[in-house]
Amino acid sequence: MGQQETADVDEVFRVETHGIDPIPDAERHGSAKDLFWLWFGSNLTFTYVINGALAVAFGLSFWQATAVVVIGGLSFFAISAAGLSGIRTGTATLVISRATFGVRGNFPAGVLNWVVSIGYTIVNTVVGTLALEVFFTEIGWQGGTVGRAVALLVTLALTFAVAMWGHATVQFAERWMAYVLAAGFGVLLLFVLPGTDTAAPAAAPGPSGWSLAFVVMLAGPFSYLPMPADYTRYLPRTTSLKSITWMGALGGFLSSVALGVAGVAAATQTDMTDAVAGAESLLPGWFQPLFLALVLGGSVTNSIITLYSSSLNLQVLGIPWSRARAIVISAAVTAAGSLAALFLTDFTTSLLSFLSLLIIVFAPWGGVFLADMLLRRCHYDADALHAGSAGAYWYRSGYHPAGITALLTGMTFAALTCDSELWTGPLVAPLGGADLTLLGSVVSGLTYGALTPRRVAAYAPAA
């Protein structure tokens, strides 16, 4: 297949025909730099401003909170590295994790990941809708319920249109929206940073303040763990693994840290209980409508990649539809959830509490997946990933004992040390209020390594 034909397979504004089926070598294209723009653009979201402000609310000083933001940004090295398996197999992350947990053992995490991706898409859609509604008000349209409905429709349309087209259009949109959003948020930093109060708080933060700040900062990046290979599966096999890791990590690090620091700085100057209103109060009047447009744009860029991955996720769960058709299910559920969140005020709080609780599952899941990937050196039997009971990853009745045991061990640790609105583990009080949920990933990874002392059988790509 020639280069022109290769470009025509996955091109901008043409509906992508591939789903979780392996991408043939002849149809691979792009470079590691594409990953920089994907992760940079998708993380230029106002959520990180909110997270930075929360770190200050937990009692941390400007410098302490900034340190947490930076450490949180470094987690994108793990997220980006999780995509290395995609270049070797040409398929999605939640297909590859069949090798870790078994074909059947992989199913529960697939269901929960779909719920998480839709939940975060709903949250981002609501944030974007509310920002657009305020924008309507500031330009003179008091739309009321109709205005909110129009704002929701616009936000959903922008997200769905890009995600429905598929991989090439997602990467194209993320790159060009990143240019605009980076310039806008750069101006925001120029207005917010000069007034920062760097003085230490009157009382030093306790273990609870530190741990909660880390959980808030790391929960977002951890939620990406089941999707990085979705965006590396089209890259040629000859692409450097080091460049893939660095480009993706650098993109996520720069955007998340810049906006996180903006949130920290803003919280030292004003009340950020309502983060959009708080940040807006620090800006000159002429920039406030543009700021609201930035909030909307950031919400859309983040929702695009979660909605796109959710369609691949549904195929992993056995939905016998094409990716483009499956995404309609995700879009419909997102629309329904967004309507509930916007018109039933307590729904948003309940949803956020539920999503925060799911870190009990996804921190340990990520630890096992990354440990397995390291043991295999990113080599898999690509055919066996799709072979079901006839393949090497069926293990014992569809379950991989080492993977399942390690996952349950990590989940148990995370549940015992979790401090959330819906659940407080019995070890939280003895630990001085510290929330160690995220260490469930370390526990699960080490457990998997102990249960798999020899190098997992690796499979070289077919000649």
Side-chain angles (χ1 to χ4, degrees):
M1 181 175 289
Q3 182 63 36
Q4 182 59 41
E5 291 176 77
T6 299
D8 288 343
V9 171
D10 179 44
E11 63 179 10
V12 179
F13 304 130
R14 179 177 176 181
V15 177
E16 178 190 6
T17 57
H18 284 297
I20 62 172
D21 53 303
I23 308 300
D25 285 347
E27 299 180 21
R28 304 283 193 98
H29 62 92
S31 70
K33 286 188 289 187
D34 296 331
L35 298 177
F36 172 85
W37 293 110
L38 176 86
W39 291 108
F40 181 70
S42 62
N43 285 284
L44 284 170
T45 172
F46 194 72
T47 302
Y48 289 107
V49 176
I50 298 173
N51 292 346
L54 284 173
V56 175
F58 294 144
L60 274 63
S61 69
F62 172 80
W63 294 114
Q64 291 169 335
T66 297
V68 173
V69 168
V70 172
I71 294 172
L74 291 173
S75 67
F76 277 98
F77 278 92
I79 307 305
S80 190
L84 297 179
S85 53
I87 195 174
R88 290 280 175 80
T89 62
T91 192
T93 305
L94 282 170
V95 175
I96 300 165
S97 60
R98 290 170 177 169
T100 310
F101 302 101
V103 176
R104 286 178 171 168
N106 188 58
F107 190 85
V111 173
L112 287 174
N113 180 67
W114 184 79
V115 172
V116 169
S117 63
I118 293 301
Y120 277 113
T121 305
I122 291 172
V123 171
N124 276 311
T125 299
V126 169
V127 171
T129 299
L130 294 176
L132 186 55
E133 183 184 17
V134 175
F135 177 80
F136 288 158
T137 301
E138 292 192 355
I139 63 174
W141 182 36
Q142 301 291 337
T145 301
V146 174
R148 176 169 290 189
V150 170
L152 173 60
L153 183 62
V154 170
T155 306
L156 286 172
L158 290 171
T159 304
F160 175 73
V162 174
M164 184 275 295
W165 285 115
H167 175 266
T169 309
V170 167
Q171 289 196 320
F172 174 84
E174 294 291 353
R175 175 189 289 264
W176 286 99
M177 292 179 74
Y179 295 155
V180 176
L181 292 174
F185 280 119
V187 175
L188 174 72
L189 283 168
L190 293 177
F191 287 127
V192 172
L193 291 180
T196 303
D197 180 4
T198 58
S208 176
W210 281 103
S211 64
L212 287 173
F214 275 112
V215 168
V216 165
M217 209 63 62
L218 291 167
F222 266 73
S223 71
Y224 290 131
L225 274 172
M227 65 175 72
D230 302 1
Y231 304 100
T232 59
R233 72 193 204 281
Y234 273 96
L235 293 176
R237 286 185 197 274
T238 54
T239 310
S240 162
L241 299 188
K242 182 183 293 185
S243 66
I244 289 174
T245 303
W246 273 93
M247 286 294 99
L250 191 60
F253 176 84
L254 289 176
S255 50
S256 65
V257 169
L259 296 188
V261 171
V264 173
T268 66
Q269 304 171 61
T270 188
D271 181 8
M272 291 287 283
T273 305
D274 181 341
V276 173
E280 193 176 19
S281 69
L282 300 175
L283 305 173
W286 65 267
F287 188 71
Q288 290 177 4
L290 296 176
F291 164 70
L292 295 170
L294 291 174
V295 175
L296 170 63
S299 298
V300 170
T301 60
N302 195 260
S303 293
I304 285 171
I305 66 166
T306 53
L307 189 61
Y308 173 79
S309 286
S310 75
S311 63
L312 298 175
N313 196 336
L314 288 174
Q315 288 190 314
V316 174
L317 296 177
I319 299 295
W321 289 0
S322 67
R323 181 208 59 81
R325 290 181 63 193
I327 204 170
V328 175
I329 298 176
S330 296
V333 175
T334 298
S338 299
L339 283 170
L342 288 164
F343 295 100
L344 301 174
T345 54
D346 60 341
F347 179 84
T348 304
T349 301
S350 300
L351 177 62
L352 286 171
S353 299
F354 174 66
L355 291 174
S356 67
L357 191 63
L358 287 183
I359 197 69
I360 292 176
V361 176
F362 283 100
W365 185 94
V368 180
F369 179 77
L370 290 173
D372 180 73
M373 191 183 73
L374 287 171
L375 287 170
R376 295 179 189 275
R377 303 296 191 271
C378 297
H379 288 294
Y380 300 84
D381 183 341
D383 293 332
L385 290 172
H386 302 270
S389 59
Y393 302 130
W394 187 251
Y395 301 113
R396 296 182 185 176
S397 301
Y399 298 91
H400 186 200
I404 299 300
T405 301
L407 176 63
L408 293 176
T409 301
M411 287 174 59
T412 300
F413 176 87
L416 291 173
T417 58
C418 175
D419 183 15
S420 70
E421 291 187 23
L422 297 180
W423 167 258
T424 300
L427 296 183
V428 172
L431 291 169
D435 184 333
L436 303 182
T437 313
L438 293 172
L439 290 182
S441 60
V442 178
V443 172
S444 64
L446 291 176
T447 302
Y448 187 77
L451 296 175
T452 317
R454 295 177 293 104
R455 179 180 174 183
V456 178
Y459 296 85

